[in-house]
Amino acid sequence: MERIFAKSTLRKFWLKHAETEQYLKTWYDTAMNAEWKSPSDIKRTYSNASILKNGRVVFNIKGNDYRLVAKINYEKQWLFIRFIGTHSEYDKIDANHI
């Protein structure tokens, strides 16, 4: 990905949930170095990612204890972090529209 918006969202989250820091840093580094041109490219990197409509992808963080929802513009190689939270917090949102 050329750009990830916004790493500060991840940093704020791991300051509150220290157990996620290394997982989120690894996810960020992997995503920054990726050239995901399509959902199938993401599935090759993260086989357990859920591909949703509207360019949204759900990534499982820390063994699915946490969920990260991203909106991806494959053409521009931009990734927007739309949500990060616990699995139970994720269950309360509409990931297709957040």
Side-chain angles (χ1 to χ4, degrees), residues 13-97:
F13 192 81
W14 77 55
L15 289 174
K16 289 182 181 177
H17 304 274
E19 70 278 10
T20 66
E21 182 175 0
Q22 287 307 312
Y23 295 93
L24 291 172
K25 285 180 176 179
T26 298
W27 176 87
Y28 180 85
D29 289 342
T30 301
M32 276 298 292
N33 291 306
E35 291 188 31
W36 294 327
K37 304 283 188 195
S38 69
S40 59
D41 290 339
I42 293 173
K43 293 295 272 184
R44 279 193 280 282
T45 306
Y46 288 105
S47 61
N48 62 353
S50 298
I51 308 300
L52 306 179
K53 59 185 176 181
N54 300 322
R56 299 218 177 22
V57 180
V58 180
F59 296 92
N60 298 324
I61 305 294
K62 193 180 178 287
N64 206 19
D65 289 346
Y66 299 89
R67 294 270 179 102
L68 186 151
V69 179
K71 181 173 182 172
I72 299 176
N73 181 317
Y74 296 100
E75 185 178 319
K76 293 182 179 178
Q77 289 291 285
W78 291 351
L79 185 150
F80 298 87
I81 297 169
R82 306 295 296 163
F83 170 86
I84 183 158
T86 65
H87 201 151
S88 62
E89 290 168 335
Y90 170 82
D91 289 341
K92 296 175 185 173
I93 66 162
D94 181 351
N96 284 305
H97 295 100

